[in-house]
Amino acid sequence: MGCCGSAAAANAGLAPASGRNETAEEIGPTIDELLAKHAGALAELRAIAAAEDGYDAAKHDGLHLLRFLLSHKLNAKLAAKAFATALAWRRANGIDAIADAVRGGLKQSQFPHYAKIHPRLPFHFSELGAGQPTMFFSVRELRLTELMREMTTAEYVLYSQYISEHIHQTTDFESRRTGRIVKLVRLIDATGIGLATLNMKYISAVAAAARGSEDAYPQLLGYFFLCNAGRAARTFWETAARPLLPSRMVEKSAVLEPLTAEADLRRLLALVPRSKLPVQLGGEKI
């Protein structure tokens, strides 16, 4: 079976999304090549996964299982354990219902607690079918102290579940459309960040949301870039924020200066077309 199953057939008539770069980041094995290369490990993983409550051969196809396998260095037993944990987490949190809503066109403004959270924490992420999945926010727009007075950790976790599932559906859609594994590029403009901006309660809430879903979204995050950070932000990131985040996120993170370092800007443009890269990071998107 090909990488994408019935979803590939459904999306076969879609033209490539405009503005998508064909870069070195995308040159590599196709999903079909990876499925063929790791057929033995996938068969072992599928045999174990099929015994789990909630396993669905159509939903949990080759690409779905491949993400788990790659995230666990081709160890089928470890991948199966993570798959089982993800199934249980999705069932306990009603994530499949969120997935159905997202695929049905649910907008970010319809997410639970949006009216409370978004004005104080304005995340901007690409919509389903818009090409390379990205997520961006600017520190200058954050009101974290006010947010944490108004919001509970549980509310943030729920809001994050909707965002994570939206991003998962977006990356899955793009992967099936392009025939290559597509991952999220998360961008932060840290201009103006300082000790007054940062809030440890918020960092703890982010860590709580990440821990709960760490096994549920394998191969989701491609890169996490903190951009235009001053010395205070770099120090806080290295000493306070990084230790609280999952190791998988930390391994894929970097601090960049795209407005002053040409090499850093080229690194971003290798992943995100200039037309879709925010002006704060050296792009053209306003």
Side-chain angles (χ1 to χ4, degrees):
M1 173 183 264
C3 71
C4 310
S6 59
N11 298 334
L14 291 177
S18 60
R20 183 170 176 81
N21 284 358
E22 290 295 335
T23 71
E25 296 292 340
E26 295 180 287
I27 298 173
T30 66
I31 295 172
D32 282 339
E33 288 169 344
L34 288 170
L35 290 175
K37 181 178 181 179
H38 304 303
L42 279 166
E44 181 183 357
L45 170 56
R46 185 176 291 107
I48 302 172
E52 294 292 337
D53 183 28
Y55 172 79
D56 183 326
K59 183 187 298 183
H60 306 130
D61 63 1
L63 173 57
H64 187 92
L65 295 179
L66 179 64
R67 287 182 180 272
F68 281 92
L69 193 63
L70 294 177
S71 289
H72 292 84
K73 304 184 186 303
L74 306 180
N75 187 313
K77 291 182 173 59
L78 290 179
K81 182 178 180 180
F83 175 79
T85 300
L87 278 184
W89 178 81
R90 293 183 69 89
R91 186 164 54 248
N93 291 279
I95 304 299
D96 285 348
I98 297 176
D100 291 341
V102 169
R103 288 194 297 267
L106 185 74
K107 300 298 183 184
Q108 184 184 7
S109 59
Q110 297 172 299
F111 292 0
H113 311 300
Y114 172 87
K116 179 187 295 186
I117 295 175
H118 188 75
R120 302 171 176 92
L121 183 66
F123 289 151
H124 307 283
F125 48 84
S126 49
E127 294 298 325
L128 193 70
Q132 169 63 54
T134 60
M135 182 175 179
F136 169 75
F137 72 84
S138 173
V139 166
R140 286 177 171 172
E141 299 179 324
L142 302 183
R143 291 147 57 190
L144 297 182
T145 299
E146 180 182 332
L147 175 66
M148 296 313 298
R149 284 199 301 263
E150 301 292 329
M151 178 194 74
T152 67
T153 295
E155 288 173 337
Y156 179 79
V157 168
L158 178 60
Y159 187 70
S160 294
Q161 287 171 354
Y162 273 76
I163 289 179
S164 295
E165 187 60 26
H166 182 284
I167 293 170
H168 166 64
Q169 293 299 326
T170 302
T171 57
D172 185 70
F173 179 93
E174 285 300 309
S175 296
R176 295 175 188 279
R177 186 183 67 80
T178 63
R180 299 182 186 273
I181 292 181
V182 175
K183 303 178 185 180
L184 174 71
V185 177
R186 183 174 294 180
L187 305 164
I188 298 177
D189 172 25
T191 302
I193 196 171
L195 294 178
T197 309
L198 306 170
N199 186 289
M200 287 304 298
K201 289 184 178 179
Y202 171 70
I203 294 294
S204 295
V206 171
R211 283 193 302 270
S213 61
E214 185 175 3
D215 279 331
Y217 298 111
Q219 299 288 301
L220 180 68
L221 178 63
Y223 295 95
F224 176 81
F225 293 130
L226 185 69
C227 302
N228 307 326
R231 182 177 299 176
R234 285 174 178 268
T235 300
F236 181 85
W237 172 253
E238 295 293 338
T239 62
R242 280 172 62 108
L244 291 174
L245 298 174
S247 59
R248 292 177 192 171
M249 180 180 292
V250 172
E251 291 168 358
K252 299 172 183 177
S253 65
V255 179
L256 302 181
E257 298 292 340
L259 298 182
T260 58
E262 183 64 27
D264 287 354
L265 177 58
R266 287 199 301 269
R267 187 173 182 183
L268 291 181
L269 292 175
L271 295 161
V272 183
R274 191 182 293 272
S275 62
K276 295 188 178 182
L277 187 68
V279 294
Q280 297 97 317
L281 306 183
E284 300 172 346
K285 184 175 181 181
I286 300 176

